[in-house]
Amino acid sequence: MSRKPRLVVVGSINMDVVIEAIRPPRMGETVMGESVRFIPGGKGANQAVAAARLDADVHMIGVVGGDPFGHTLLDSLRGSGVDTAAVRVLDDVPSGVAGITLAGGDNSIIVVPGANGRLSPDDVAAHEDRIAEADAVLLQLEIPMETVIAAARTAKRRGVRVMLNPAPVRELPDELLALTDVICPNRIELETLTGLPAEGKALPKAMRQLRQRGAGQVVVTLGADGAAFLDERDHWGTEPGRSVRVVDTTGAGDAFHAGLAVALAEGRSLPDAVRFAVCTGSLAVTRFGAQTGMPSRREVDELESRKN
Ligand code: RIB
């Protein structure tokens, strides 16, 4: 492809309040933390930033509050080259916030959607022209479900690839699955969506269930084990993980989804695109923070060209 991949992200924009501790507290317990940092995040915004760093032309459709967090979040998107003309700023609602506990490189997250809850089907309709010009629309589930469905319907009607990262996981209407060209859950999300085990030999069966319910291609992230994929002709395969030093897993799934979208938009085959996505996600975990940890195109190309 001679032009850059063009992607539209319809999704959340959060300020991540990241508290590092030796271990997470148990319910009812207080533990001492090591540090607190405020890092731009949100699954939608993370995917937008990751794709822009991979040299895609990225447009974000979202909502932030008119508070100091909102301005910082917009700056972070713009600083990575994301077009924010379709991000609304609302003065009467706080920006989305994620409380993240980081312990031993792994995290637990509570998201308070705030302004993200006001992203509506009207926002999608207002920017249909941008969607129509895209190679793919990237969706997640931190915004109202009716908005996710409206974006998927619009993209489908305009012949644009619909990519869904079903996180945080919740029940998916069959209509949304039928509109989805590529669904990209992690293993736990796959188990929740299907009610089936997804460990070891059980994995392909769970992935096939999503295809039987209407999804096109299914790609499952497996953490350090890489990823598995199932294409529309029922070909199943895996891509091994890259061995890296894990600093912070926050945003790894977002990096993966962005990498997958960019590579598919560049016309790469599904197995090739999954390899590129595994490399993108692997590099993201080697650095602290969601958006601050997203790798550059050069870094991903370099890792991909290396033998594992
Ligand atoms: O996927 C990671 C993201 O989930 C964090 O940046 C946080 O904002 C939550 O949305």
Side-chain angles (χ1 to χ4, degrees):
M1 139 178 313
S2 52
R3 69 166 172 81
K4 287 179 169 192
R6 193 171 294 165
L7 304 176
V8 170
V9 179
V10 183
S12 59
I13 308 171
N14 297 333
M15 181 59 81
D16 291 352
V17 182
V18 187
I19 295 187
E20 261 188 288
I22 301 288
R23 64 171 180 82
R26 285 169 295 209
M27 190 54 75
E29 186 192 26
T30 303
V31 298
M32 299 298 281
E34 315 256 289
S35 67
V36 58
R37 283 183 266 187
F38 295 79
I39 309 283
K43 294 185 192 301
N46 294 346
Q47 293 177 22
V49 164
R53 294 213 188 145
L54 296 173
D55 288 347
D57 182 1
V58 185
H59 296 248
M60 177 92 210
I61 301 178
V63 184
V64 294
D67 46 20
F69 281 172
H71 297 293
T72 306
L73 294 170
L74 280 172
D75 285 348
S76 177
L77 286 162
R78 291 179 186 138
S80 291
V82 176
D83 185 314
T84 60
V87 177
R88 277 194 298 140
V89 181
L90 292 182
D91 284 327
D92 62 334
V93 64
S95 296
V97 171
I100 302 183
T101 308
L102 181 64
D106 230 331
N107 64 55
S108 53
I109 306 181
I110 297 179
V111 177
V112 182
N116 298 300
R118 302 270 285 271
L119 185 62
S120 75
D122 288 345
D123 289 296
V124 173
H127 298 290
E128 178 163 345
D129 289 353
R130 283 172 199 268
I131 292 174
E133 286 173 3
D135 297 303
V137 167
L138 277 66
L139 302 167
Q140 323 74 32
L141 301 178
E142 287 183 336
I143 58 171
M145 183 60 88
E146 57 171 354
T147 310
V148 174
I149 293 172
R153 278 187 193 140
T154 305
K156 194 49 125 197
R157 182 158 37 79
R158 304 300 297 249
V160 174
R161 178 182 287 129
V162 176
M163 299 190 59
L164 174 65
N165 170 218
V169 70
R170 56 175 136 147
E171 205 172 307
L172 296 181
D174 282 343
E175 182 195 357
L176 180 58
L177 273 171
L179 290 167
T180 299
D181 296 297
V182 185
I183 187 165
C184 185
N186 65 22
R187 199 196 301 265
I188 292 168
E189 290 154 0
L190 177 65
E191 289 182 343
T192 307
L193 288 172
T194 60
L196 294 173
E199 291 284 347
K201 292 202 168 104
L203 180 59
K205 186 175 174 198
M207 293 169 72
R208 286 198 170 97
Q209 197 219 73
L210 289 184
R211 275 201 32 76
Q212 281 151 9
R213 287 175 57 198
Q217 300 173 323
V218 183
V219 178
V220 179
T221 56
L222 304 172
D225 292 333
F229 53 89
L230 179 68
D231 74 13
E232 60 285 346
R233 282 164 306 170
D234 208 43
H235 293 151
W236 187 82
T238 57
E239 173 66 28
R242 301 287 163 137
S243 84
V244 290
R245 196 175 67 88
V246 178
V247 172
D248 180 6
T249 56
T250 313
D254 301 326
F256 184 98
H257 199 221
L260 189 66
V262 168
L264 288 174
E266 288 175 350
R268 294 174 72 166
S269 67
L270 186 62
D272 273 10
V274 170
R275 184 175 322 118
F276 185 81
V278 164
C279 291
T280 310
S282 301
L283 285 165
V285 304
T286 64
R287 294 188 201 126
F288 175 78
Q291 289 173 33
T292 47
M294 296 306 177
S296 69
R297 178 66 190 234
R298 188 186 49 74
E299 291 171 312
V300 178
D301 286 343
E302 210 233 308
L303 180 60
E304 198 187 4
S305 67
R306 257 195 263 153
K307 292 236 180 300
N308 196 12

